[in-house]
Amino acid sequence: MDTVELIEQHQLVVVIRTDTPDQAYEAAKACIAGGVKLVEITFSVPHAHEVIKKICGTEGVTVGAGTVLTMDEARLAVNAGAGYVVSPHLDEEIVKFVKREGLVSIPGAATPTEILKAHKAGADIVKLFPFVEMGGLNFLKTIRGPLPFIKYMPSGGVTLDNFGEYLDARVSGIIVGSAIIKRGLVEAGNWQAITELAAKFVELLPQ
C-alpha cells in the first residue's frame, strides 16, 4: 500500500505544532498510543526534522512534515524520512522536488485557480486551507462540481462534534490540530489526556 492509500485508509491526520521538540515528540507518542496512524510534525517546531526522524521508526505509523515553506525545509523533511510533505501554500518547486524524491506532496490552496494549479504541478492531494474561512464543507461540495478528480484534505474547523460530517464528505484525509493537541494539555505535560482525545476521534473512523 502506498502512502496516498494509507492516508485514505486512516484519514485522520493529527498535526502537531508545539513550542519545543520534546513536546512535539511526547504529543506524537500520545496520539499514537490513542490509535492515530498519521502524524504530521510542523516545521514551526524547532528541529522538527529531528522529531520526524525519531518517530519514523514507529511501526504502523506514517509521519509527515508540515508547514514546509522552503526548499531547505523540504530537503530536511526528505532526509528525516517523512512520508508526505504538507504546506499551507503552493510552491511548485517544492511540489516537484518532493515528487522526485518519491514522497507524497500535499500543498495548500484556497481558490479554484490555486487548486487546479497545484494538481497540475503534481500534487497528490490538495490541502484546503484555511478551510473554514474559505467556506468549509459548502466550499468543498461546490468545488467538487468542476474539479471532482482532485483529492482533497481539509484543514481547519474540525471538532469531535463535527468530525462525522467531515468523514461523510469522503475526502482523502482530514487534518486535526488543536481539537487534540490542546495547548493547555501540552504545557501541563498531560499526555494521557491527549491520548484519550485522540482515541475518541479514532473511534469515529470507519472500520
Side-chain angles (χ1 to χ4, degrees):
M1 188 176 293
D2 67 22
T3 302
V4 172
E5 289 173 329
L6 284 170
I7 291 171
E8 293 186 325
Q9 178 185 8
H10 299 300
Q11 289 192 288
L12 173 62
V13 180
V14 180
V15 176
I16 297 170
R17 190 185 305 278
T18 60
D19 293 333
T20 72
D22 285 343
Q23 288 174 336
Y25 180 63
E26 292 299 331
K29 285 201 304 180
C31 289
I32 293 165
V36 173
K37 303 296 185 185
L38 303 164
V39 294
E40 176 188 325
I41 307 298
T42 67
F43 264 78
S44 56
V45 175
H47 308 291
H49 61 291
E50 294 176 4
V51 181
I52 292 168
K53 191 177 293 186
K54 284 176 74 174
I55 304 167
C56 274
T58 308
E59 187 176 351
V61 176
T62 305
V63 186
T67 319
V68 174
L69 305 179
T70 67
M71 281 295 297
D72 285 344
E73 290 173 345
R75 292 186 188 96
L76 286 170
V78 169
N79 292 335
Y84 54 99
V85 172
V86 186
S87 299
H89 69 306
L90 171 60
D91 183 319
E92 294 184 47
E93 185 181 12
I94 291 175
V95 171
K96 289 170 182 174
F97 168 74
V98 167
K99 294 296 294 175
R100 281 199 307 272
E101 294 295 323
L103 279 66
V104 167
S105 173
I106 310 176
T111 67
T113 299
E114 291 175 354
I115 291 167
L116 189 57
K117 194 171 184 181
H119 176 73
K120 286 183 174 179
D124 296 284
I125 302 171
V126 177
K127 170 181 172 177
L128 298 177
F129 176 81
F131 190 57
V132 173
E133 290 77 6
M134 63 202 284
L137 293 170
N138 287 332
F139 176 88
L140 174 63
K141 183 179 179 180
T142 301
I143 201 66
R144 270 185 166 152
L147 303 174
F149 49 86
I150 293 176
K151 296 179 183 291
Y152 296 102
M153 182 181 289
S155 176
V158 182
T159 66
L160 200 55
D161 291 335
N162 68 15
F163 189 50
E165 296 175 40
Y166 279 70
L167 289 171
D168 289 344
R170 300 189 178 280
V171 288
S172 292
I174 301 165
I175 294 175
V176 180
S178 59
I180 295 175
I181 311 299
K182 293 184 179 293
R183 188 168 185 84
L185 296 178
V186 171
E187 290 176 348
N190 192 347
W191 310 118
Q192 181 58 36
I194 289 176
T195 294
E196 291 168 4
L197 277 172
K200 288 179 180 177
F201 277 88
V202 171
E203 286 170 10
L204 296 176
L205 292 170
Q207 298 304 314

